[in-house]
Amino acid sequence: MSTQRAPQSPTTRLLERLPIAADRPWIGVSVTLVSVVIGFVVRWVADPVLPSGFPFVSFFPVVILISFLFGVRFGTLAAVLCGLLAWRFFIPPYDTWALTPGSTLALLFYVFVVVTDMALVHWMQRANRNLARERELSRALADTRELLFNELQHRVSNNLQVAAGLLSIQKRQVSDSAARAALDEAARRLALIGRISRQLYDAGGATRTMREFLEPLCADVIEASGRTGIRCTIDVAADAPLSPDAAVPLALIVAEAMANAIEHGFRDRATGHIEVHLARDGRDMVKVEVRDDGHGLPEGFNIEASDSLGLRIATMLASQLNGRFDLVREKVTTARLLLPA
């Protein structure tokens, strides 16, 4: 059992790596200088067609891009170089470092804009780094939870199998046939729960469908019986989600119906067919039927008058699920379980 994780998009992977090349500053310096030169060339070429008052129009994108890709250090370098070039060549008086009220106001505006942009980029990257760390921590915790969950299921299953084995050993010391039969039944049920316990719950808390649950369950019951000539088919007309709390009672009821068919319906036969049918019964009920083509029920059979412990347990468990269990004789012997949808 594994927890499925959605693959990260290329954009997400890129954002988690920002700022890039942190351990190779020469890359940041080289790209910054090239970008500043490109910004300067674009501004120089566009100068004849631009109205006055736009000295930084091609430099703002350079500062933002460098800050975004390489961090605030290189963004600051780009901002200083771009500001000096704009001051020298695109803010009057041109080709001089003289400060006038107009140039001072333009430079102050430039500083305010680039500082704001770099601060926003820095806060975004810091939040993104924290999010990436939290994601990795959550992934590690999820992996640990799944590992512990699987280990717990494994140990519970093993303990139930051990308990079933101890009952089988204890049976050898009992001479009373009724007591031996009771120990046999208890061992069989414990062994069954042990085999299916790993299927009952999902580490992620997801529910399973009835079909997903019934298919391995039926295979386990037939395997436990040792009757290789018995085959089972699952016919699902309308599936339904199965809550974990209903899994064990449902497993025991279906297993009891199948075991009853194998033991009594096919007692003198090497082969047989069991069909587990799942369908809606009206709007509010789900019907699970276990049908076999065996000898059939005896005349006048009444489940309420039966002294079978297994059938009584099945009836009781169905009642706990707010459902109803019955064993009827139709064209084939049918164990019918009605459950709320």
Side-chain angles (χ1 to χ4, degrees):
M1 184 190 328
S2 61
T3 304
Q4 298 293 326
R5 301 188 183 94
Q8 291 182 336
S9 66
T11 302
T12 301
R13 290 195 296 269
L14 174 63
L15 289 176
E16 290 187 352
R17 294 177 56 192
L18 294 177
I20 59 176
D23 56 340
R24 288 172 291 180
W26 62 270
I27 295 179
V29 172
S30 301
V31 175
T32 298
L33 293 178
V34 170
S35 300
V36 170
V37 171
I38 292 174
F40 174 77
V41 171
V42 170
R43 181 63 182 80
W44 185 273
V45 171
D47 188 65
V49 298
L50 286 176
S52 60
F54 294 90
F56 312 109
V57 67
S58 65
F59 294 125
F60 284 137
V62 172
V63 176
I64 295 173
L65 181 63
I66 295 300
S67 300
F68 182 78
L69 292 178
F70 298 99
V72 172
R73 286 188 305 161
F74 297 103
T76 302
L77 174 62
V80 171
L81 294 177
C82 289
L84 291 174
L85 290 173
W87 182 14
R88 177 75 179 184
F89 296 100
F90 304 112
I91 298 176
Y94 303 112
D95 300 325
T96 179
W97 301 111
L99 279 175
T100 64
S103 62
T104 302
L105 182 62
L107 290 173
L108 289 176
F109 172 77
Y110 171 77
V111 171
F112 171 77
V113 171
V114 296
V115 168
T116 301
D117 289 341
M118 287 190 295
L120 291 175
V121 170
H122 174 68
W123 290 335
M124 182 201 69
Q125 290 182 342
R126 184 172 62 179
N128 190 64
R129 287 194 298 270
N130 292 336
L131 181 62
R133 283 196 294 268
E134 290 296 329
R135 186 183 295 112
E136 288 301 318
L137 177 60
S138 298
R139 183 178 293 120
L141 290 175
D143 291 339
T144 302
R145 181 188 66 177
E146 183 174 350
L147 178 64
L148 293 175
F149 185 87
N150 290 336
E151 179 63 20
L152 175 62
Q153 285 187 309
H154 179 73
R155 289 184 180 274
V156 169
S157 177
N158 285 349
N159 289 340
L160 289 171
Q161 298 283 1
V162 168
L166 291 175
L167 287 177
S168 298
I169 294 174
Q170 186 68 32
K171 182 190 67 174
R172 302 172 187 172
Q173 304 176 12
V174 177
S175 57
D176 183 75
S177 59
R180 290 171 63 89
L183 288 174
D184 265 338
E185 283 297 304
R188 180 178 65 81
R189 292 188 177 96
L190 278 176
L192 174 64
I193 296 176
R195 281 191 297 272
I196 67 173
S197 63
R198 299 177 190 181
Q199 308 170 26
L200 298 183
Y201 302 94
D202 182 85
T207 58
R208 308 184 65 189
T209 63
M210 299 275 274
R211 185 186 188 96
E212 291 172 338
F213 181 74
L214 289 173
E215 285 181 341
L217 169 65
C218 296
D220 280 339
V221 173
I222 293 179
E223 180 183 354
S225 71
R227 303 283 295 276
T228 57
I230 306 297
R231 63 187 183 92
C232 179
T233 57
I234 309 294
D235 178 21
V236 177
D239 210 340
L242 175 68
S243 68
D245 292 338
V248 171
L250 176 64
L252 291 175
I253 294 170
V254 173
E256 182 58 41
M258 291 185 62
N260 189 66
I262 294 171
E263 181 180 355
H264 300 291
F266 307 133
R267 63 178 178 273
D268 299 326
R269 293 169 47 178
T271 61
H273 178 219
I274 298 175
E275 180 186 11
V276 180
H277 179 73
L278 174 65
R280 288 277 182 175
D281 188 67
R283 178 177 296 181
D284 301 324
M285 300 296 287
V286 173
K287 178 171 62 177
V288 182
E289 292 185 337
V290 179
R291 307 165 182 167
D292 69 85
D293 60 353
H295 296 300
L297 294 173
E299 292 290 344
F301 176 82
N302 186 347
I303 191 172
E304 295 180 357
S306 173
D307 59 355
S308 169
L309 176 62
L311 295 180
R312 291 203 301 269
I313 291 176
T315 302
M316 178 192 67
L317 292 174
S319 178
Q320 290 179 359
L321 296 175
N322 297 319
R324 185 173 72 255
F325 176 79
D326 200 5
L327 197 59
V328 296
R329 180 175 184 175
E330 298 176 336
K331 293 181 180 180
V332 293
T333 303
T334 302
R336 181 177 297 129
L337 173 65
L338 290 175
L339 296 174

